Amino acid sequence: MWIVDNGTSVAPMMRGQFRDRVVHLGIVGTDPSARGRRLATACRNHTLGLARVSGEYDCVKLHVDSASPTRATGLDERSGFAVAKVFANY
């Protein structure tokens, strides 16, 4: 899913399924020129709504950068997500 503004994708979001009945939200972002318009929230809420009504999923997982300079973790918390595990990649 993505939101397009003047022909440019400004809020892309990727979804995947790697295990039965678990949806994984991947890339969620907003172009800097479109920030502050709650576009990522709209994408995420729409995707979560579709997953909910489909009846195909029991769980939603999200991997994020907890040290995001854009403070994206606020979006995660407003969407009902909480930290379950912390790990580091090198």
Side-chain angles (χ1 to χ4, degrees):
M1 164 168 205
W2 61 89
I3 294 176
V4 176
D5 186 20
N6 291 323
T8 301
S9 177
V10 293
M13 183 165 144
M14 302 291 289
R15 169 197 77 76
Q17 181 176 349
F18 305 109
R19 294 188 353 215
D20 286 344
R21 307 210 48 88
V22 178
V23 64
H24 176 84
L25 301 182
I27 299 167
V28 181
T30 304
D31 186 271
S33 67
R35 288 193 181 135
R37 295 167 42 192
R38 297 183 120 3
L39 299 177
T41 299
C43 279
R44 175 166 299 161
N45 289 346
H46 182 73
T47 302
L48 290 174
L50 290 174
R52 186 177 300 112
V53 300
S54 76
E56 296 178 29
Y57 306 104
D58 299 321
C59 179
V60 178
K61 291 193 173 190
L62 172 68
H63 292 171
V64 300
D65 178 359
S66 61
S68 169
T70 62
R71 300 183 317 276
T73 51
L75 165 65
D76 305 329
E77 292 166 350
R78 285 190 302 277
S79 295
F81 289 91
V83 175
K85 186 189 314 184
V86 177
F87 57 93
N89 289 333
Y90 296 98

